[in-house]
Amino acid sequence: MSTAHATLLAEIATANRILAHHGVVDAFGHVSVRHPEKPDHFLLARSMAPGTVTADDIMVFGPGSEAVNGDERRPYLERYIHGEIYLARPDAISIVHSHSPSMVPFGVVPSVKLRPVFHMSGFLGKGAPVFEIRCCAGDDSDLLIRNRALGAALAKSLGEDTTVLMRGHGSTVVGGSLHEAVYRAIYAEVNAKIQATSMQLGDVTYLTEGEAQAAMTTNRGQLARAWNLWTSQIGT
Ligand code: MN
């Protein structure tokens, strides 16, 4: 294994622990990275709690979201989220799927949209779309993205956005790098909390699409600061 690849595996393990530290993931949720040498493959931990993932737990998945290299360890049921979004979105380099609690309300109240309320979450753009799994799995599903068709339907709901809410389930966030996906997953949760608080006070003034775009561009240059802080907080 090359040094660069070993470093990437260690960073994915770190990302899992950062997201757990921030309460974005708990026993559930996952973070993946597109394979740097094989763009139709991706790297994702075996099925386990994110806070305990190490570099040795990372598996490689092919374009159909099935494990390659004869790896028979148990994979996440919802790995199709990652595989189908990587297929649909060439710009997606990393993906976080979680059930982070402040996001869930915005997936279940159709009259309210998750929108950027402050500059740190400009990536929310004009607001996050909501994926309704009943479209494709009927009224009796367990809400999980269990196959390629459901993954593709979720990717279609995501469209060109960065964040998609999943009704009655959670959310999925994409980034142009691992650091960006982690940043967005954390700040999407923060935004949801602030938005819910603001709505209790009165009518909310959201970022315009132009402000959101400009803030997103600025924040791309600040990812290292956040990553370095968050890494130090988990004691690596
Ligand atoms: Mn899930």
Side-chain angles (χ1 to χ4, degrees):
M1 189 193 301
S2 70
T3 310
H5 198 70
T7 302
L8 178 58
L9 296 183
E11 284 228 313
I12 297 171
T14 300
N16 273 272
R17 293 174 54 209
I18 288 172
L19 291 166
H21 180 80
H22 285 266
V24 171
V25 296
D26 48 18
F28 303 95
H30 18 92
V31 50
S32 70
V33 174
R34 189 188 289 276
H35 197 297
E37 279 104 43
K38 296 179 207 159
D40 59 348
H41 287 54
F42 61 95
L43 304 164
L44 176 69
R46 66 185 174 87
S47 181
M48 64 187 296
T52 57
V53 168
T54 70
D56 291 339
D57 297 310
I58 310 299
M59 299 171 68
V60 182
F61 295 87
S65 299
E66 300 307 337
V68 299
N69 306 329
D71 194 334
E72 291 184 343
R73 290 178 291 178
R74 186 178 166 200
Y76 287 120
L77 284 172
E78 296 196 284
R79 57 196 180 278
Y80 306 99
I81 292 171
H82 304 264
E84 295 305 313
I85 290 177
Y86 286 128
L87 280 176
R89 284 282 297 271
D91 62 313
I93 301 300
S94 179
I95 298 170
V96 176
H97 166 64
S98 82
H99 312 148
S100 70
S102 306
M103 298 283 276
V104 175
F106 292 92
V108 299
V109 181
S111 58
V112 178
K113 199 163 193 181
L114 180 72
R115 293 177 61 186
V117 286
F118 77 147
H119 67 300
M120 300 304 283
S121 50
F123 60 88
L124 290 172
K126 61 187 188 308
V130 178
F131 173 63
E132 172 51 81
I133 196 167
R134 287 178 198 158
C135 70
C136 326
D139 291 351
D140 302 304
S141 83
D142 63 4
L143 297 143
L144 300 186
I145 306 298
R146 292 181 160 273
N147 56 49
R148 291 193 65 180
L150 290 173
L154 175 67
K156 197 175 167 197
S157 282
L158 171 68
E160 296 303 312
D161 286 306
T162 64
T163 305
V164 60
L165 295 155
M166 301 154 79
R167 194 270 310 159
H169 179 172
S171 59
T172 297
V173 176
V174 307
S177 66
L178 176 62
H179 293 191
E180 188 169 61
V182 168
Y183 168 94
R184 288 177 174 177
I186 289 172
Y187 277 106
E189 169 70 13
V190 172
N191 188 93
K193 240 181 235 159
I194 297 174
Q195 184 177 344
T197 306
S198 304
M199 291 177 74
Q200 290 172 19
L201 298 178
D203 292 338
V204 180
T205 302
Y206 297 98
L207 269 61
T208 64
E209 279 189 57
E211 287 171 339
Q213 179 68 43
M216 178 171 73
T217 302
T218 298
N219 290 334
R220 280 216 176 98
Q222 302 288 345
L223 297 172
R225 188 198 299 196
W227 181 264
N228 291 341
L229 171 68
W230 294 335
T231 303
S232 74
Q233 288 171 333
I234 58 164
T236 53

